[in-house]
Amino acid sequence: MKKTKKNKEKTKNKIIKFRNRNFGEKILILLMLGLIAVVMLVISFFVYIIINAPDFSEEGLYASDASIIYYASGEELARVGAKNREKVSYDELPEVFVDALLATEDSRFMQHSGIDLARFLKASVGQLLGNSDAGGGSTLTMQVVKQTFTDPVASGIKGIIRKFTDIYMAVFKLEKKYTKEQIIEFYVNIPYLGAGTYGIEQAAQAYFGKSIGEVSLTEAAVLAGLFQAPDAYDPFSHPEKAEARRNQVLNLMKRHGYISDEECEIAKSISVTSLLDENSNIDKENQGMIDTIVAEVIRRTGKNPELVAMKIYSTFVKEKQQVINNINNGNSYKWPNDVLQTGIAVIDVKTGGVIAVGAGRNKKSKLSWNYATQNERHPGSTAKPLYDYGPAIEYLNWGTGQMVIDDVHGYSGGGNVKNWDGAYKGIMTIKTGLAASRNTTALQTFQAIPNKKINEFVTGLNLHPEYDVNNYIHEAHSIGAYTGESPLD
């Protein structure tokens, strides 16, 4: 009991002594305790990073398994992915391409040891201040790690952990073991570079029909620009964006002293489309179908089968697809020229499955513009059963014998709708109105249905109506006069 009393007195004396300290001393003690806590927290964080960092291996740099796509019958349709990557050594890379790459991706690559501290801090401050264009401050070495070994999550606590894991691996597992030339070699052989290509050699062959060692200054600039966003700067699909990005790369090369003003301007004067080898990347007549499947898989899963090995079981029917292919390639239909395009989607009415597509004629590359799924045009009179008669049957209990009047009729906001033949045929059933494609009866029917019910009906069919400021579907939808549906829609 005496000991306990003594301990209590000692504790009480300490508290009294602390209370008797002046305010400045108290603040100093608290700051020191806070600093110790922060240091311990930082040490714990870095210990966590080191313990949980993945093992680095050269074999793990390159994905080798392809994704397999199957027809509805189970027969193999195609293989997509990185399996056919052609790796090149550093010595095979022309100086002009290396210069373009370093000027664009990491101008101080040859000086730093895996992390460019000044660039990293600048990017971090920019991100904290809400500047989304500040970049992530990743060096070329860190990007090698990010592309193959760490989680691509770039935000929140996971993003912070990933960033510091990238730094740790870049500094201690790559820069300590490999030369700068070897790291550049890793960097250019790993990534997807658009148009179904993997690595810089495949990209050079696909876009320009030549080996990477043969590319010119302007071609090197196009290729160097792809690493940031390969699909966005694919010169086949987006030539204007590719040219703007190419010019940005050339400006950076000039800024860092790799090329002169004159060389920069001459390279900029060459159009990107004039450089492209339009026959170099045509894979097969089924490319449009493959592109459609790949895009749908990405939409549903968030994973790209070009990058992640999968088995994909499609609803496509080989024989039906061949009919579409024969139309597009001119075997069963004579086209007046090579400019005219098609967008075709064939649906199995029993299952709703897509069984064939015509993504366009004379496709120039993998994943290029898909006229079956990306072209949004007026649906025209095909909208009438969807926006008018279907909802009337569903919500107004109309039957096909419901009577309507084909006569002069106007929009609620003013102005009359006209029929295709300029005539009016009087009283008729909605079945006849649909069969004869009368605009007046379609508009009357649309106006009879609550707008919210029309919206419920068409969005349930995955259509994409347009809305006015009051979230109201405008009446021109009744005859398909709006932009927003692809052939597949």
Side-chain angles (χ1 to χ4, degrees):
M1 292 291 290
K2 286 181 181 178
K3 280 187 177 181
T4 304
K5 189 174 181 182
K6 269 188 177 181
N7 288 338
K8 284 182 178 178
E9 286 178 358
K10 283 182 181 179
T11 303
K12 187 176 180 183
N13 288 336
K14 286 179 181 178
I15 293 170
I16 291 168
K17 284 179 182 178
F18 182 77
R19 284 175 178 169
N20 289 335
R21 292 178 185 275
N22 63 46
F23 183 74
E25 288 179 324
K26 291 178 184 178
I27 291 296
L28 185 61
I29 291 170
L30 290 173
L31 284 174
M32 288 177 66
L33 290 173
L35 183 61
I36 291 169
V38 169
V39 170
M40 293 301 295
L41 196 63
V42 170
I43 291 171
S44 300
F45 177 76
F46 281 109
V47 169
Y48 174 85
I49 293 294
I50 293 168
I51 292 173
N52 290 280
D55 292 328
F56 180 86
S57 67
E58 289 185 49
E59 295 76 21
L61 288 171
Y62 309 108
S64 58
D65 293 333
S67 292
I68 306 173
I69 302 174
Y70 299 93
Y71 283 108
S73 63
E75 181 183 350
E76 185 176 314
L77 188 164
R79 294 185 178 227
V80 299
K83 193 169 185 179
N84 298 319
R85 177 192 282 109
E86 297 177 42
K87 289 188 281 187
V88 292
S89 67
Y90 178 82
D91 292 336
E92 293 175 88
L93 300 173
E95 185 178 352
V96 69
F97 170 72
V98 175
D99 291 345
L101 183 71
L102 296 184
T104 308
E105 295 295 319
D106 191 349
S107 62
R108 288 191 285 269
F109 175 70
M110 292 298 181
Q111 286 76 49
H112 66 64
S113 298
I115 176 172
D116 186 341
L117 197 57
R119 182 179 168 204
F120 179 74
L121 291 174
K122 181 181 177 182
S124 299
V125 170
Q127 293 283 359
L128 288 172
L129 294 175
N131 180 9
S132 59
D133 295 325
S138 292
T139 62
L140 193 146
T141 318
M142 289 166 62
Q143 290 181 58
V144 170
V145 175
K146 183 172 69 174
Q147 288 173 354
T148 51
F149 292 101
T150 57
D151 193 323
V153 173
S155 60
I157 187 64
K158 286 186 177 180
I160 294 170
I161 292 171
R162 193 222 72 201
K163 180 67 73 173
F164 279 93
T165 302
D166 291 345
I167 293 171
Y168 166 69
M169 291 186 68
V171 173
F172 295 102
K173 296 196 176 186
L174 266 83
E175 294 276 353
K176 296 287 186 187
K177 184 176 179 181
Y178 299 97
T179 66
K180 291 289 187 180
E181 290 76 16
Q182 286 175 306
I183 293 170
I184 290 175
E185 193 174 301
F186 294 152
Y187 185 75
V188 301
N189 283 315
I190 292 169
Y192 174 73
L193 292 174
T197 66
Y198 291 84
I200 198 62
E201 175 63 18
Q202 219 178 34
Q205 295 282 1
Y207 295 121
F208 308 122
K210 60 176 70 172
S211 174
I212 182 61
E214 302 169 329
V215 298
S216 64
L217 168 61
T218 190
E219 290 167 341
V222 171
L223 293 171
L226 290 170
F227 286 81
Q228 185 185 83
D231 285 331
Y233 298 127
D234 178 340
F236 284 125
S237 302
H238 308 288
E240 291 181 0
K241 289 183 179 179
E243 193 158 302
R245 176 63 173 162
R246 186 272 313 268
N247 293 346
Q248 189 178 38
V249 173
L250 290 168
N251 287 335
L252 288 169
M253 292 181 75
K254 181 177 71 172
R255 179 194 300 176
H256 293 293
Y258 291 114
I259 59 174
S260 66
D261 288 354
E262 184 181 5
E263 288 173 314
C264 181
E265 292 309 311
I266 291 172
K268 282 183 182 179
S269 69
I270 303 169
S271 73
V272 166
T273 51
S274 71
L275 300 169
L276 300 176
D277 182 350
E278 295 190 342
N279 295 314
S280 64
N281 195 41
I282 297 174
D283 188 4
K284 53 180 76 70
E285 62 181 359
N286 287 329
Q287 192 58 55
M289 174 174 52
I290 295 167
D291 289 352
T292 302
I293 293 168
V294 168
E296 181 66 9
V297 170
I298 293 172
R299 187 187 71 80
R300 291 194 186 196
T301 69
K303 305 288 185 182
N304 187 344
E306 294 273 4
L307 305 174
V308 180
M310 305 179 184
K311 288 186 176 180
I312 303 164
Y313 299 90
S314 79
T315 54
F316 283 79
V317 177
K318 186 176 183 178
E319 296 74 19
K320 306 294 185 186
Q321 183 62 45
Q322 192 55 55
V323 173
I324 302 302
N325 291 345
N326 287 338
I327 292 171
N328 275 346
N329 62 28
N331 288 341
S332 60
Y333 180 81
K334 184 173 177 60
W335 296 95
N337 55 55
D338 289 334
V339 178
L340 196 62
Q341 275 294 355
T342 63
I344 306 169
V346 184
I347 309 297
D348 184 331
V349 295
K350 294 179 180 177
T351 67
V354 183
I355 57 176
V357 293
R361 301 175 59 231
N362 310 312
K363 279 180 73 68
K364 298 297 188 292
S365 71
K366 294 179 181 179
L367 303 177
S368 59
W369 187 259
N370 191 320
Y371 286 88
T373 63
Q374 293 176 289
N375 247 35
E376 295 181 344
R377 293 290 185 268
H378 288 193
S381 291
T382 56
K384 291 172 182 174
L386 305 171
Y387 282 88
D388 311 326
Y389 304 117
I393 291 170
E394 181 77 11
Y395 302 115
L396 302 182
N397 294 317
W398 284 15
T400 54
Q402 175 72 32
M403 305 304 291
V404 287
I405 303 174
D406 178 20
D407 202 351
V408 177
H409 191 77
Y411 293 103
S412 299
N416 290 333
V417 65
K418 295 181 179 179
N419 289 317
W420 61 270
D421 58 0
Y424 304 100
K425 299 184 181 295
I427 296 174
M428 61 179 62
T429 64
I430 60 170
K431 181 178 180 180
T432 301
L434 173 59
S437 196
R438 311 311 285 173
N439 290 342
T440 56
T441 61
L443 178 58
Q444 286 175 51
T445 305
F446 182 97
Q447 291 169 333
I449 309 161
N451 202 265
K452 287 183 179 179
K453 290 298 184 181
I454 296 174
N455 185 59
E456 181 182 328
F457 190 86
V458 296
T459 54
L461 295 173
N462 201 33
L463 296 177
H464 307 89
E466 297 168 357
Y467 304 95
D468 64 15
V469 289
N470 298 314
N471 211 31
Y472 185 89
I473 300 176
H474 62 77
E475 293 178 352
H477 285 69
S478 64
I479 57 174
Y482 73 100
T483 301
E485 309 301 349
S486 69
L488 183 60
D489 294 332

